[in-house]
Amino acid sequence: MIHRGILLFVCSLIIHVALTGTYLAQAQSGVRSATNRQVPSPRSMLGFSPGEDRKIADWTQITNYFAKLDEASNRVSVQTVGRSTLNRPILAAFISAPENILALNKYKEIQRKLADPRTIVDARERNALIAAGRVVVVISCSIHSTEIVASQMSMQLAFDLATADDADTMEILKNTILILIPSSNPDGIDIVANWYRKTLGTPSEGREPPELYHHYAGHDDNRDWFMLNLEETRALTRLFWKEWFPQIVYDLHQQGPSGSRFFVPPFYDPQNPNIAPLLLRQVALIGHKMAADLQAAGFKGVITNSLYDTWWHGGFRTAPYFHNSIGILSEAASARLMSPATVTREQLARSSTRGMRNALEATTNFPDPWPGGEWKAADILKMEVVAARSLLSLAAKYRANYLRDFYELGKKNLTQITNENEPLAYLIPAGQARDEEVAKLVTALVEQGVEVFRLDHELHATFGPQVLQRTSPASERLGTYRRIVAATAGMHEVPAGSYIVFLSQPQRSNVITLFEPQIYPDRLNAQGEAERPYDVAGWTLPLQMGVEAPAVLSIQETPTDRKLTLIREGNEVRDDLSLPLKKTGRSPIANPISRPVRIGIYKSWVANMDEGWTRYIFDTFNVPYTSITDADIRQGDLSSRYDVLLLPSQRAREIIEGNSAENYPKEFAGGITEAGVENLKRFVEKGGALVCFDAACELAIKQFNLPVRNVLEGLRANEFYCPGSIVGLEVDNTLPLARRMPRNTVAYFINSQAFESTDPKVRVVARFAKDNLLRSGWLLGEDKLRGKIAMAEVPFGNGRVVLFGFRPLHRAQAWATMPFVWNAITGGF
Ligand SMILES: [Zn+2]
């Protein structure tokens, strides 16, 4: 950050001249200042320009480049804000005018105050803060590592901002503080870079790597922004929502190669009803500015109002809404990693999504389709630079408006509720006998800046579970629901040691969206088929975790009579509950399996997120296992090595056939094959246990001829549809596999399975609920699911197969059904 003024003078001058004719002229970077001439260009350090065909910078190169920028430019200060899952540094480059960079602590303090209007004394102080503040903008690149171009672009954007002296750049630097995250998944940059370099010039060039690009989560690394299971989401959440409170967060992604060239907001329907309308208007304004600037710069194929919606909570771009900030997404059409792709008119004509009939047809939201041809990483990079600068320039021009809106939204959330049917708080009562779950829930809330209090003395309150109530006949294919608080009559004592989350706090909408059951609007196409939401429809966090968290309607004690302590960090909760504290690298959670079991978890070379999340849970709970691959299963003799084999959710065909040998090197092609299926069968016949999650049940049912049928197989989306929702379960807890489970619980259902069987040997552990089936989300065709088998144990030879019709560990969020997994492994004994 401190300008040293002696670096790389001649070299960078030459490179500057060389670049002017190519990329920089298009980026409107203008004249470079004398003081910043010494700032090295990416090309001078990498030996190639970011975005060049078949050239990729890995994390070490990106890190080195930013370290050099920090050293050479007084406009740039680079901080390491955490370590990744595999221990790489997570970087944040602060870019602003030199005087702002020197006063970062002052601006951080202004942000902290604006984020919590209760800390501001009066209108005069507020106005002074707004007058003095800067708009804090986050730009984050390549959380999805195969969407690689933005990580390369980050170096170019930083260089331009560090060196250009045109009026637009100077205004951006003066009025904004950019926090540039070159990648929010550094491990993935290296996974992709290593794979890409290794496969250049082979038939695998430009294809997805045969492993998850996040050690545990793969693509789901962007589904973790309220659960905070991952090191990366924890580190960045701390930076954003505990320290810097950015007004605008822009997350750059890439979509498939053959649709629109570039998506920017506004988003498609449905909107999440808890997002402040003002935020959605601001999102639209920025998106349209980006679209207009891209059009003006001559780019074709920019689309708005398509595919991506704001319903779901938990993404990089959606979490900001629940912190009163503006979340922006762009999705560039992909090349083949850093290799060019050719996209034909036929491919474009066949490409269709919500909001785009085909990629050749001009419409109001897509006025200038791209005609097809060659598509390169450099095309993506140029569009991303224009979009990023467009956003920054708008932020700079309306600096005071962004700060004022941010403050006002936080203030509005503090307004007391007047409607007596609206909760005023959510309660996490003491004594649930689910201490680890309570600790995880409260910790996740506290880590994202939600205010949670511990009751140091009992209270008296009216409260009850907030549930969905069906208001249309149960026979109807679609249900109409309303949310009610099934309140217990009269005042009840709430014991000391309970936790309470008041709605009156700056993050009010975050609390509501995490605690209340979701009601996804019925959205059908002309054929009466379900229109697919962008991600899941329901996620109510305490419900998924099996934690009771009723809504509070009234409290007898006045605020001054309540004895409450604000929880500042997760360890306080563990301390309260007498749970072990984390000391060094390992998780403090005890292994729930009481006897030694040799466990193998199947790891396909068709990268499978459910497999990664399964490992995550086993590692978190310190349950030992071995990852077993296709070759291990093909080799056989599994009984000598394992007692239990676990197949995470994956289609039978993918497990058996794997990657095609045409596209992947031999060691990653081929699947377990029919021979592997026979080996699995022998393993169970000899006494082993095969535990199948969701889609993997198909393999056992069909290949082993189990006396069980999936009744949902082959149903069309106008008969049955359930895209990521929480449903009720009725448990036979007299069975060993249901040990420690309540009679009524919930399961995560995501286009999952439901079984029927007439064989008395099939032990039915749980059925989908006959009443109150949908607990959060969306479900079309309830009658197809009601009362069907959700989980069963099927004897086979001397062993057993355990079938989970649902996702018992979904995204490491579904803690409610986790005990079933431990029971399935041990047999419940
Ligand atoms: Zn993405």
Side-chain angles (χ1 to χ4, degrees):
M1 141 181 97
I2 306 302
H3 184 59
R4 311 246 167 107
I6 46 162
L7 298 156
L8 284 168
F9 21 86
V10 180
C11 183
S12 79
L13 276 177
I14 293 167
I15 278 136
H16 170 63
V17 172
L19 270 178
T20 310
T22 57
Y23 160 74
L24 286 177
Q26 295 157 9
Q28 309 162 325
S29 294
V31 186
R32 287 173 198 286
S33 73
T35 50
N36 279 300
R37 287 256 162 107
Q38 298 83 351
V39 174
S41 71
R43 188 184 179 86
S44 71
M45 284 189 62
L46 301 170
F48 57 87
S49 295
E52 220 173 87
D53 283 352
R54 295 189 171 81
K55 292 289 189 341
I56 195 164
D58 60 28
W59 192 242
T60 305
Q61 288 170 298
I62 293 172
T63 304
N64 289 345
Y65 182 69
F66 276 95
K68 202 60 131 186
L69 267 188
D70 174 277
E71 209 174 272
S73 170
N74 53 6
R75 298 177 183 176
V76 181
S77 169
V78 179
Q79 298 178 10
T80 299
V81 297
R83 307 292 301 187
S84 69
T85 300
L86 302 179
N87 205 30
R88 287 180 179 81
I90 303 170
L91 302 185
F94 290 75
I95 304 179
S96 193
E99 62 275 18
N100 296 342
I101 290 290
L102 287 171
L104 283 180
N105 282 337
K106 178 181 103 182
Y107 292 112
K108 194 153 109 178
E109 180 59 15
I110 293 174
Q111 291 292 104
R112 193 185 62 76
K113 294 205 109 188
L114 290 173
D116 187 351
R118 292 167 300 187
T119 62
I120 297 173
V121 183
D122 54 16
R124 229 174 73 178
E125 187 188 4
R126 177 201 63 205
N127 292 342
L129 290 168
I130 290 170
R134 301 288 179 265
V135 187
V136 176
V137 178
V138 165
I139 295 183
S140 175
C141 304
S142 302
I143 187 170
H144 289 152
S145 318
T146 48
E147 302 163 21
I148 188 72
V149 177
S151 65
Q152 316 290 301
M153 183 280 297
S154 70
M155 294 178 277
Q156 191 66 54
L157 179 66
F159 174 69
D160 291 351
L161 291 170
T163 53
D165 276 345
D166 59 285
D168 190 51
T169 303
M170 296 318 275
E171 191 180 30
I172 289 170
L173 294 169
K174 178 166 169 264
N175 288 341
T176 73
I177 295 170
L178 169 61
I179 305 178
L180 177 62
I181 314 284
S183 171
S184 32
N185 177 21
D187 297 338
I189 299 296
D190 281 350
I191 290 170
V192 168
N194 294 341
W195 163 254
Y196 182 69
R197 287 169 181 163
K198 196 172 85 179
T199 53
L200 265 180
T202 76
S204 306
E205 177 179 329
R207 291 187 187 280
E208 300 261 323
E211 64 179 304
L212 293 171
Y213 53 62
H214 179 283
H215 181 66
Y216 288 124
H219 200 74
D220 273 356
D221 63 352
N222 196 26
R223 306 288 183 267
D224 189 48
W225 291 91
F226 60 72
M227 190 62 173
L228 309 182
N229 279 319
L230 306 176
E231 298 294 343
E232 294 81 1
T233 33
R234 277 201 294 272
L236 291 173
T237 295
R238 187 171 60 238
L239 180 73
F240 296 170
W241 312 121
K242 301 275 267 191
E243 293 176 14
W244 274 98
F245 306 97
Q247 276 78 30
I248 303 173
V249 175
Y250 172 24
D251 196 28
L252 285 91
H253 287 252
Q254 290 172 219
Q255 54 186 357
S258 49
S260 64
R261 294 303 89 193
F262 207 80
F263 165 85
V264 288
F267 292 97
Y268 201 76
D269 288 326
Q271 74 186 81
N272 185 305
N274 294 321
I275 301 175
L278 178 59
L279 286 176
L280 291 175
R281 291 298 190 190
Q282 298 286 20
V283 166
L285 181 60
I286 292 175
H288 276 306
K289 167 78 158 42
M290 291 161 118
D293 285 352
L294 283 160
Q295 192 70 48
F299 292 103
K300 288 175 169 291
V302 177
I303 197 166
T304 64
N305 306 78
S306 82
L307 186 56
Y308 310 95
D309 62 58
T310 59
W311 178 260
W312 145 81
H313 187 354
F316 209 121
R317 66 170 164 99
T318 51
Y321 304 138
F322 304 102
H323 296 81
N324 308 317
S325 296
I326 300 165
I328 300 287
L329 167 79
S330 72
E331 295 268 0
S334 291
R336 298 182 307 117
L337 299 178
M338 297 304 291
S339 301
T342 302
V343 184
T344 64
R345 286 185 67 79
E346 292 67 36
Q347 285 170 316
L348 293 165
R350 279 200 307 270
S351 179
S352 152
T353 64
R354 301 196 293 182
M356 183 187 75
R357 206 146 47 192
N358 72 66
L360 288 174
E361 187 177 322
T363 49
T364 305
N365 64 327
F366 186 45
D368 189 16
W370 179 71
E374 192 173 55
W375 184 247
K376 294 170 158 232
D379 298 319
I380 300 168
L381 185 142
K382 287 174 201 161
M383 293 183 90
E384 289 178 341
V385 169
V386 171
R389 291 192 59 108
S390 172
L391 178 150
L392 286 168
S393 148
L394 193 66
K397 284 190 176 26
Y398 292 95
R399 185 197 61 80
N401 297 56
Y402 285 112
L403 298 185
R404 188 173 298 275
D405 285 354
F406 176 66
Y407 164 85
E408 292 292 344
L409 286 169
K411 192 169 168 218
K412 210 169 152 205
N413 285 341
L414 298 168
T415 316
Q416 209 59 45
I417 304 105
T418 46
N419 180 348
E420 61 182 22
N421 294 316
E422 288 288 305
L424 62 92
Y426 288 94
L427 187 67
I428 303 170
Q432 298 198 23
R434 304 209 73 166
D435 290 347
E436 280 295 352
E437 291 83 347
V438 167
K440 170 68 185 174
L441 174 63
V442 175
T443 301
L445 295 170
V446 169
E447 285 184 335
Q448 62 200 285
V450 172
E451 286 173 2
V452 183
F453 292 92
R454 185 187 58 234
L455 268 60
D456 295 328
H457 197 274
E458 76 265 15
L459 283 181
H460 298 83
T462 55
F463 62 88
Q466 192 178 26
V467 294
L468 296 187
Q469 188 180 55
R470 195 177 169 115
T471 56
S472 56
S475 56
E476 278 176 21
R477 190 174 58 120
L478 288 167
T480 311
Y481 293 88
R482 66 174 175 199
R483 260 182 302 267
I484 59 157
V485 177
T488 50
M491 287 285 168
H492 289 262
E493 187 178 301
V494 181
S498 301
Y499 298 96
I500 191 161
V501 186
F502 290 99
L503 264 61
S504 172
Q505 59 174 300
Q507 286 198 43
R508 175 191 161 87
S509 54
N510 199 21
V511 175
I512 295 174
T513 307
L514 293 176
F515 278 78
E516 75 175 15
Q518 278 76 46
I519 303 174
Y520 189 86
D522 291 320
R523 297 183 58 88
L524 305 179
N525 66 19
Q527 289 75 47
E529 294 185 338
E531 178 199 274
R532 193 181 151 205
Y534 180 66
D535 197 73
V536 298
W539 54 83
T540 315
L541 191 51
L543 192 60
Q544 279 204 72
M545 296 187 69
V547 174
E548 278 178 46
V552 178
L553 295 179
S554 69
I555 299 176
Q556 189 175 292
E557 288 79 2
T558 62
T560 47
D561 287 342
R562 302 169 190 169
K563 298 215 164 26
L564 307 170
T565 303
L566 181 66
I567 306 295
R568 300 199 175 269
E569 56 145 345
N571 273 349
E572 291 175 38
V573 184
R574 299 193 71 84
D575 220 8
D576 287 353
L577 299 170
S578 306
L579 294 167
L581 297 178
K582 188 165 182 164
K583 296 201 177 62
T584 46
R586 279 171 65 83
S587 153
I589 305 181
N591 179 342
I593 293 182
S594 52
R595 63 188 174 85
V597 182
R598 298 171 303 164
I599 304 165
I601 299 178
Y602 172 63
K603 181 182 189 142
S604 168
W605 296 122
V606 183
N608 176 9
M609 292 181 279
D610 197 48
E611 181 269 334
W613 285 123
T614 302
R615 273 188 287 109
Y616 175 85
I617 288 290
F618 278 61
D619 286 348
T620 300
F621 282 80
N622 300 301
V623 178
Y625 62 90
T626 309
S627 284
I628 66 168
T629 60
D630 295 326
D632 299 326
I633 295 183
R634 287 196 301 257
Q635 190 200 321
D637 192 23
L638 298 163
S639 315
S640 71
R641 286 175 287 151
Y642 303 103
D643 305 309
V644 178
L645 293 179
L646 195 156
L647 303 180
S649 182
Q650 191 167 22
R651 299 292 310 272
R653 198 182 146 164
E654 247 175 45
I655 298 172
I656 297 169
E657 297 179 11
N659 289 316
S660 108
E662 278 171 41
N663 300 331
Y664 280 86
K666 214 171 113 227
E667 65 266 37
F668 304 122
I672 67 169
T673 73
E674 295 299 333
V677 172
E678 287 306 310
N679 290 338
L680 287 176
K681 229 188 262 185
R682 264 196 294 278
F683 165 76
V684 181
E685 279 166 352
K686 285 172 136 177
L690 183 67
V691 177
C692 306
F693 289 174
D694 198 349
C697 292
E698 184 194 2
L699 184 138
I701 292 172
K702 294 195 173 159
Q703 302 288 330
F704 293 20
N705 276 319
L706 299 182
V708 172
R709 187 176 77 90
N710 173 17
V711 298
L712 302 178
E713 186 175 330
L715 291 185
R716 292 177 60 86
N718 57 7
E719 299 167 285
F720 180 82
Y721 194 71
C722 185
S725 298
I726 304 171
V727 297
L729 276 194
E730 290 165 6
V731 180
D732 179 355
N733 59 2
T734 64
L735 292 175
L737 260 57
R739 202 164 72 99
R740 287 206 213 98
M741 289 300 292
R743 280 199 62 78
N744 290 293
T745 187
V746 296
Y748 207 86
F749 195 99
I750 178 160
N751 301 312
S752 299
Q753 330 270 309
F755 308 116
E756 263 179 2
S757 177
T758 53
D759 192 318
K761 288 199 289 295
V762 172
R763 289 188 283 271
V764 177
V765 184
R767 290 182 181 274
F768 293 109
K770 287 175 214 67
D771 302 308
N772 301 327
L773 179 56
L774 180 65
R775 302 292 166 86
S776 182
W778 191 29
L779 174 52
L780 178 147
E782 272 192 41
D783 59 313
K784 300 284 191 291
L785 198 58
R786 225 177 279 133
K788 296 293 187 295
I789 300 171
M791 179 184 170
E793 188 179 37
V794 187
F796 188 81
N798 293 322
R800 58 200 177 87
V801 177
V802 182
L803 302 173
F804 282 92
F806 50 90
R807 297 279 176 96
L809 302 177
H810 178 250
R811 294 179 179 168
Q813 294 171 9
W815 285 40
T817 42
M818 211 188 306
F820 279 136
V821 176
W822 312 133
N823 291 338
I825 285 170
T826 59
F829 298 104

